[in-house]
Amino acid sequence: MVQYRYMYLLVLPGFLYFLIFKMVPFWGLIAAFQNYSPMLGVLHSKWVGFKHFIDLFEYEHFYILLRNTFFINLFSIVFLFPLPIVLSIMLNEVRHEVFKRINQSIVYMPHFLSWVIVASLTFFLLSTDVGLVNKAIRGAGLEPIAFLQEPNYFWGLLTAQNIWKDTGWGTIIFLAAIAGVDPSRYEAAVIDGAGRMKQIWHITLPAIRPTILILLILRLGQIADVSFEQVLLMINPLVLKVGDVFDTYAYQQGILSGQTSVGVAVGMFKGIVGIILVMISNFVVKKLGHEGIY
């Protein structure tokens, strides 16, 4: 430790972050098995065992919450996950460094906008009365479309927001993986007569496959976790049946209704589902002959 003291010092801020904000709060999971009262605290609140979990599974809209959460995340995995891979390969093929950096900065920028701004921009574009899109539709002599009030559009709308906001940011890891590819492999491919597409297919993609699989496994582990701020800002009574998810239910019960234990139980259920999916997907990846996350 003395020899590598500066390395440990470099790791220390990240270690403290996970210790304080990820590990220490684990004691709060006890509240999921209690009728937690802030006045009594964790040590003196009444124990109720698995009551809150049973109530969650018996909740009349449980399967609606499960369906909405699953399909919102499924849309994100199917339509969003591949895009950073494609975009990173495209950026890697750009040879003009200044043009490449400008494009990288442009596609990174939406990630730093809050969901409040993204939701406001969506309203400005798609609302029935003041939305620019519906103004153009009216100008063409057609009836306006209720994009924000139509349940059939809700999942696609959330996916489109995620694509616009996070595609560019997701390229960072893939660009780093591509940068680690040995240039001599491309030189050998050129000598063998391979064009750019064949180089991408036979060199670039196989080289970043481990990174893709690891990120996919981690993404599957978040399949029970929906961006709470995004859904809360976009949901309205007309799309409640397709927009109500575990996060909004936990917010309603744990914060608005003061049932802290219910909110903790929902969060713990989501975490267990995520762990199970990570283990299953990691097992499948290893069985297919690839390297998993552990």
Side-chain angles (χ1 to χ4, degrees):
M1 291 185 68
V2 174
Q3 182 181 355
Y4 296 104
R5 57 187 179 277
Y6 295 114
M7 297 294 290
Y8 286 109
L9 188 63
L10 184 65
V11 172
L12 184 61
F15 173 77
L16 290 176
Y17 166 77
F18 278 97
L19 178 65
I20 296 172
F21 295 104
K22 302 294 183 180
M23 302 303 295
V24 172
F26 262 97
W27 70 269
L29 294 178
I30 297 173
F33 306 96
Q34 299 176 322
N35 274 333
Y36 174 75
S37 170
M39 299 298 295
L40 299 175
V42 173
L43 298 179
H44 301 288
S45 294
K46 181 182 177 181
W47 290 89
V48 295
F50 292 94
K51 177 182 181 299
H52 300 303
F53 295 94
I54 295 172
D55 290 344
L56 174 63
F57 296 140
E58 293 180 347
Y59 176 52
E60 59 180 337
H61 297 307
F62 173 78
Y63 291 104
I64 293 178
L65 299 177
L66 185 64
R67 180 202 65 187
N68 295 343
T69 302
F70 175 78
F71 276 103
I72 290 173
N73 277 297
L74 182 63
F75 274 47
S76 181
I77 292 172
V78 172
F79 297 105
L80 171 60
F81 185 80
L83 291 180
I85 303 172
V86 176
L87 182 58
S88 61
I89 292 174
M90 293 173 65
L91 288 172
N92 185 64
E93 292 300 310
V94 176
R95 293 293 175 257
H96 195 287
E97 285 299 321
V98 175
F99 181 74
K100 180 179 179 179
R101 290 174 184 174
I102 291 174
N103 276 276
Q104 283 180 285
S105 300
I106 291 173
V107 298
Y108 291 165
M109 285 177 61
H111 174 78
F112 298 99
L113 299 178
S114 72
W115 279 116
V116 175
I117 296 176
V118 175
S120 300
L121 290 173
T122 304
F123 180 83
F124 180 71
L125 289 172
L126 300 179
S127 64
T128 307
D129 47 358
V130 300
L132 294 180
V133 174
N134 273 312
K135 285 183 177 180
I137 292 175
R138 286 195 189 93
L142 303 173
E143 287 294 322
I145 302 173
F147 292 105
L148 304 180
Q149 292 81 32
E150 176 55 54
N152 292 332
Y153 296 144
F154 188 74
W155 293 344
L157 188 58
L158 295 185
T159 305
Q161 289 179 328
N162 284 323
I163 289 173
W164 181 76
K165 191 174 190 293
D166 291 328
T167 297
W169 185 252
T171 63
I172 293 176
I173 296 177
F174 294 113
L175 283 171
I178 293 172
V181 181
D182 188 354
S184 63
R185 299 177 64 183
Y186 292 107
E187 294 171 2
V190 171
I191 294 173
D192 291 337
R196 296 307 304 174
M197 291 303 298
K198 287 188 176 182
Q199 291 177 42
I200 292 171
W201 184 257
H202 294 288
I203 298 177
T204 306
L205 286 176
I208 66 174
R209 185 184 296 128
T211 303
I212 295 173
L213 291 174
I214 289 173
L215 292 179
L216 180 59
I217 291 172
L218 295 175
R219 183 63 187 85
L220 289 172
Q222 299 174 351
I223 202 165
D225 191 17
V226 177
S227 177
F228 167 70
E229 297 92 340
Q230 179 190 17
V231 175
L232 185 67
L233 290 166
M234 295 303 301
I235 201 170
N236 60 71
L238 295 177
V239 297
L240 191 61
K241 287 187 177 181
V242 296
D244 203 12
V245 294
F246 287 118
D247 295 87
T248 54
Y249 177 72
Y251 170 71
Q252 292 164 4
Q253 299 297 318
I255 304 298
L256 299 183
S257 300
Q259 301 182 55
T260 305
S261 295
V262 176
V264 176
V266 174
M268 191 172 181
F269 166 74
K270 289 168 47 186
I272 292 172
V273 171
I275 291 173
I276 292 173
L277 286 173
V278 165
M279 294 175 66
I280 292 174
S281 56
N282 187 72
F283 175 79
V284 171
V285 166
K286 284 190 170 182
K287 281 296 182 181
L288 294 175
H290 302 290
E291 186 177 351
I293 60 174
Y294 60 88

